[in-house]
Amino acid sequence: MERIVILTGAGVSAESGLGTFRDTDGLWTRYDLEEVATPEGFTRNPGLVHEFYNARRANTLAATPNAAHVALARLERDWPGEVVLVTQNVDDLHERAGSTALIHMHGVLTGALCAACGHRWPAPRAMNMSDLCPSCDRAATRPDIVWFGEMPYQMDRIYDVVARADLFVSIGTSGEVYPAAGLVEEARMAGAETVEINLEPTRRPGLFDEVIAGQASRAVPAWVERMIASKGG
Ligand code: OAD
């Protein structure tokens, strides 16, 4: 077992103080996702959408990686084969923990994107609707976040790494949002073993070969330790 692909979701960052989406008191119980996480919502009320992501950017800046992020960076460093992290999270806690082989399929809070010309640049702490694009000079600045109804980033590359995986691990995600939720089936079809690490089992029995129930900050370091020990590390 050499190539590992890991899909992470909001549960990995929960213990860093960043909220999840669908748990009791999750973001989608307090905000209407149609208003803050769709292109239509942004057209209707860009100020509200910027406010929502400005608040999330501020929370992320104040947060620090937890033991789960740190363990996944260690796995990339110490595993003799390839480790690729595919994250649905828009925070930057994986990279701050040291992960480098990382794909942000739902975009990043640290990025700004011009809706008019597609130019990308580092987001300021607070963005607003009058910000001008440094390339085309138009006021069409949006967060570089994938909204509902938009295609996640780098799907070709993601399907490619999943098709080559020997082991696929899903951590801290409810499996409610596609195409991310379908990657486990892709991995199984390609012959990979599958593992889920989550507070509780999320999906139909048998979809994952192994299910580890627990908090990411404990369960992920323990699993990484076991993986590295299995290679004599
Ligand atoms: P969800 O909020 O849907 O699911 C988070 C999962 O993490 C749940 O299954 C929780 O049980 C689990 N969890 C919570 N705390 C945990 C902990 N400490 N340790 C381990 N697991 C824990 O979040 P995602 O699956 O990431 O998309 O959501 C997927 C996408 O839906 C997001 O990327 C976002 C959202 O709408 C966009 O904004 C496009």
Side-chain angles (χ1 to χ4, degrees), residues 51-90:
E51 242 173 61
F52 175 74
Y53 288 102
N54 286 345
R56 299 195 54 213
R57 192 176 301 110
N59 290 344
T60 298
L61 276 170
T64 48
N66 66 53
H69 299 104
V70 171
L72 292 174
R74 176 185 173 209
L75 183 68
E76 181 189 325
R77 211 172 44 243
D78 293 352
W79 182 249
E82 183 183 63
V83 177
V84 178
L85 210 49
V86 177
T87 188
Q88 299 167 88
N89 297 345
V90 294

Side-chain angles (χ1 to χ4, degrees), residues 6-21 23 63-73 85-89 91-95 97 99 102 169-174 197-199 214-221:
I6 299 167
L7 173 70
T8 62
V12 163
S13 296
E15 291 161 81
S16 293
L18 303 181
T20 61
F21 295 97
D23 293 307
T64 48
N66 66 53
H69 299 104
V70 171
L72 292 174
L85 210 49
V86 177
T87 188
Q88 299 167 88
N89 297 345
D91 64 58
D92 61 353
L93 297 182
H94 281 308
E95 45 272 60
S99 288
L102 175 65
V169 189
S170 173
I171 306 179
T173 174
S174 60
I197 305 177
N198 205 66
L199 271 187
Q215 287 185 300
S217 68
R218 288 163 178 261
V220 176

Side-chain angles (χ1 to χ4, degrees), residues 140-218:
T141 297
R142 56 170 280 181
D144 193 3
I145 301 282
V146 176
W147 287 323
F148 287 92
E150 297 181 322
M151 183 52 78
Y153 296 151
Q154 302 196 54
M155 285 313 298
D156 287 348
R157 197 173 144 217
I158 292 170
Y159 285 128
D160 188 54
V161 293
V162 168
R164 290 186 293 112
D166 301 305
L167 175 65
F168 177 88
V169 189
S170 173
I171 306 179
T173 174
S174 60
E176 296 282 333
V177 175
Y178 283 81
L183 294 177
V184 58
E185 271 116 347
E186 298 285 329
R188 287 186 78 86
M189 275 189 302
E193 270 183 47
T194 55
V195 176
E196 173 172 71
I197 305 177
N198 205 66
L199 271 187
E200 71 246 1
T202 58
R203 313 283 287 280
R204 63 165 200 271
L207 187 58
F208 292 97
D209 299 309
E210 183 182 0
V211 176
I212 301 171
Q215 287 185 300
S217 68
R218 288 163 178 261

